[in-house]
Each structure stands twice: as structure tokens, then as C-alpha cells.
Amino acid sequence: MTGPGDPPEGMPDGAPGGGDDEYRSVVFDERFVRAARLQEFSADERLGEHHAPAVKIRHAWLRLGGSRQAILLVLLIVLAFGTAVYMGIRHPYKAPEPVRAEPLRSSVVPLAPPGPVPGATPADLFAHSPAADYRIGAAGINLPTVQRSAHFSDGQIVTALTIAKDYLVRSSVDPATLTGGAVRPVRLLLDTGQLDQFDRSLTHPDDNGRDAATGWLVRFDPKQIQLADRDVRVNGTLSATELSADTLDIAADYTFVYAVQPAPSAPKDAAGQHAGTPTPGAASLVTVRRELHFRVGRDDLADHRLTVVQSSLQAGPLSCSSDPADTLHPLLAGQRAGTDRPAGTDPYARGRANAALCGELSATSQPTPSHPIP
């Protein structure tokens, strides 16, 4: 039976006193035991200073998680919207209004011949007219030699002149335009601010200085006139001047000569009741002089657009009584202008003034064909 201080199994065999005697020589006196200082470390201290706690303390705001991000996003949206509304209402500066394109101002003057209109083949007419040395089509519109200006490089000026040339070709040389076909190629070159005026002039032409279709382009009534020769003779000048740091003025002064003849379905009195009957099988020449001023802004160079600000057109042979606002109605071979003249204008009368003009086509501007068709 074991004593109260012995292990349950009893003292090991061979060991006096139940254990090893090697430590019996170590004796702690009472003073040493009392002076000893006992210190017990906590669990955190025993684990060391780099130990992260297994359970973190989380505040109520942190426990929101994804909801917190949604609340912050809503607050930011509300703040941004409120700031935008405040700035829109209370901002002291107003947004600049877009610059509107200047409207076209145009005039169309018919030129009446002094006698009957000469008739012959197109080649004979051109060869014996002032247009004998004119170039054909776009080749007759040459770009001038340019030098850079204060605010535009020579390349930018060439680009502006090229846009103006494209407009002249599409509006004065293209057979589709001349015979009343599609006008979209001309429209695409215009500043967007002029499109409404252009469309109104084509749908409701009026010789009021603003809404004449022939202020924008040259065209004949396809029911009465057809081209006897698709090669248009062209001659004139093109120049560029700087108006401001952002705008160029392009001036064009060109003469276009067309060979025309009656359309197959045209009535015999296509040019008017008093003009006479056209000579069968004969062509005649129509001369159109166009003086135009274009504005090309710095932004227009990239958009390949321009603004037509002024157009002056003189065309003959025409009867003074013809209305050239929509299409040109030239007198054909063998016809005369007659004695028709614009109605008189009374400066004392109220209402719309009669601004009709008519000039005389000089005899030297008429062809003298070697083999006229009687």
C-alpha cells in the first residue's frame, strides 16, 4: 500500500526513496525561497507580440459590408447631382451661343440678245465664240499660287480653295446638277447653318434676293432643255483673303458656257410665246457668269464645308420676261428676246418692290458659226 505522497504505482524499483537522488544535494534555504519572485505570463504574452487575435472586434458600421459601399455610392450620386443643379442655376456665366452661318444674298440677271440666237453644231459654236480657248470642266478652275497668311498656313489656304473649287464643279459643271437631277452633292458642301435656306430655295424658289435656287447652282428645266454637249467650257479666277484669325474669304469669278438644244418632249414654244420657234436640229450657246463669295472657317477645313454668303449670276440669251429663280430658260437657236422688258416699278407704291433686272447680251459675246443652221 502506498503512502499519500507516493505515485499510484508505487515507487520504482531500484530507486531509493522512489526516485533519483542526484538532486538531493540541492538545498534551498528558507531565505532563498522567500526572496524568489514568481511571475506568470498571460496567454497573449506567451504567444508573442506578432500574434494576431483570432477574433476581431467589429463596430456596427463595419458590419454593414456591401451595404456601406452602396450607401456611399448613393451619397456621391446625390452630391454630384445637387452640385450640377446648383451650378446650372446659380453659375454667373452663360454658355456661348453657337455662331450662326450668314445667309446667302443672291441676284439673278437675265441677259437678252439683240437679235436671233445663232444655231449650229456645238463644235462650230464653241470654235467661233469667245469660249474657244476655255478649258473643259474642272480643268478650267485652277488654284492660284498661295502664300501663308498671318493665321493660316499655305496648306490650309489650299484646302479652302479646293473646297470652293469642288463647290463650283458640283454646282456649275456636273451634268446631273445642270439637268435638274440630285442636288445632294452640292448640299453636302454647305455649312449646316445654311441647309434650311438651301432646302427652302430648292422647294419654294423666289427671286427675293434670298431664296432663288439659281443663286446656289446652275440648272435648266429638263422638260424643255437638254445638253447638246456635256463638256462645259470654263474660265475665271479664284482667290483667298484672310478675314480674321479663324476665317478665310474665297472670291470666285467664273464664266461657264453650255451648248444646249430643245428636249425631245419640249413644246415648240418652250422659251416663251413671243420668242419664236427654235431651229430644228441646231444647238445654241448659253453663257453664265457667276461671282461668288465663300466663307471658310478653321473648323470647315476638316469638315470640307463652306458658307456661300453672296452670289451674283448673269445669264443669256434669256428673255427679260423669264423667271430665273427656279431654273434658267434660255432662248434657243433661231429665237428672239422680243420687246419684253420688266414691268415698271412705282417707288410710291406700298408692298413688295419689283426688283426685276434685265440686261442686254452684247453682240460680241454671241458665236458666229461658220456653218450656221438656218
Side-chain angles (χ1 to χ4, degrees):
M1 184 173 184
T2 61
D6 297 332
E9 299 84 359
M11 298 298 292
D13 295 338
D20 195 355
D21 290 326
E22 61 178 314
Y23 295 107
R24 291 185 178 275
S25 61
V26 180
V27 178
F28 299 99
D29 59 13
E30 185 178 356
R31 245 183 344 180
F32 178 82
V33 172
R34 291 180 178 178
R37 184 179 178 184
L38 299 178
Q39 181 179 0
E40 183 177 358
F41 292 98
S42 67
D44 284 341
E45 290 173 332
R46 291 196 300 271
L47 290 173
E49 60 180 354
H50 299 293
H51 170 67
V55 179
K56 295 183 178 180
I57 299 175
R58 304 185 66 184
H59 298 286
W61 174 254
L62 296 176
R63 289 198 299 268
L64 292 176
S67 300
R68 178 186 55 154
Q69 297 179 357
I71 293 173
L72 287 175
L73 180 60
V74 171
L75 289 176
L76 287 175
I77 293 175
V78 172
L79 180 61
F81 181 76
T83 303
V85 172
Y86 175 80
M87 294 298 291
I89 297 176
R90 304 297 299 273
H91 199 280
Y93 302 104
K94 294 183 179 180
E97 296 182 359
V99 179
R100 296 183 61 84
E102 186 175 348
L104 169 67
R105 304 185 305 275
S106 63
S107 63
V108 183
V109 179
L111 303 177
V117 176
T121 64
D124 195 8
L125 291 170
F126 282 127
H128 296 85
S129 74
D133 297 328
Y134 286 9
R135 293 188 176 185
I136 297 175
I141 306 176
N142 294 321
L143 302 186
T145 303
V146 301
Q147 293 182 345
R148 64 173 303 149
S149 63
H151 301 94
F152 288 89
S153 67
D154 51 355
Q156 290 174 320
I157 297 175
V158 169
T159 300
L161 291 168
T162 301
I163 299 172
K165 175 179 178 176
D166 290 345
Y167 183 87
L168 291 171
V169 171
R170 296 184 187 183
S171 65
S172 308
V173 176
D174 187 357
T177 302
L178 298 176
T179 55
V183 297
R184 179 175 172 79
V186 179
R187 193 178 188 272
L188 289 175
L189 290 174
L190 294 174
D191 185 279
T192 55
Q194 286 193 314
L195 295 181
D196 288 343
Q197 185 185 9
F198 178 82
D199 294 339
R200 184 174 61 252
S201 300
L202 270 293
T203 55
H204 303 288
D206 192 350
D207 189 17
N208 58 7
R210 298 182 304 274
D211 299 322
T214 47
W216 301 95
L217 45 81
V218 177
R219 66 175 182 176
F220 306 103
D221 186 350
K223 297 179 181 179
Q224 300 179 355
I225 304 296
Q226 67 178 6
L227 295 176
D229 189 340
R230 295 171 65 90
D231 292 336
V232 181
R233 272 54 173 185
V234 184
N235 187 53
T237 60
L238 196 63
S239 62
T241 305
E242 181 179 309
L243 288 182
S244 67
D246 296 316
T247 309
L248 291 170
D249 176 84
I250 309 296
D253 185 356
Y254 277 87
T255 299
F256 303 89
V257 186
Y258 311 91
V260 299
Q261 61 188 13
S265 59
K268 293 183 179 181
D269 58 348
Q273 294 289 335
H274 307 288
T277 302
T279 303
S284 60
L285 297 185
V286 181
T287 303
V288 176
R289 180 177 178 181
R290 302 187 73 191
E291 297 178 78
L292 300 114
H293 278 272
F294 307 106
R295 296 283 189 273
V296 179
R298 194 173 297 277
D299 295 338
D300 297 328
L301 297 175
D303 296 337
H304 204 76
R305 294 178 180 272
L306 48 70
T307 300
V308 189
V309 296
Q310 188 172 358
S311 171
S312 175
L313 182 145
Q314 299 176 350
L318 271 71
S319 172
C320 288
S321 60
S322 65
D323 181 10
D326 183 15
T327 58
L328 299 180
H329 305 277
L331 297 172
L332 300 173
Q335 294 184 318
R336 296 174 177 268
T339 58
D340 292 338
R341 291 293 182 269
T345 300
D346 183 1
Y348 294 96
R350 298 301 175 190
R352 180 186 172 191
N354 181 9
L357 297 174
C358 187
E360 182 174 283
L361 187 66
S362 66
T364 56
S365 64
Q366 292 288 317
T368 55
S370 58
H371 298 89
I373 299 176

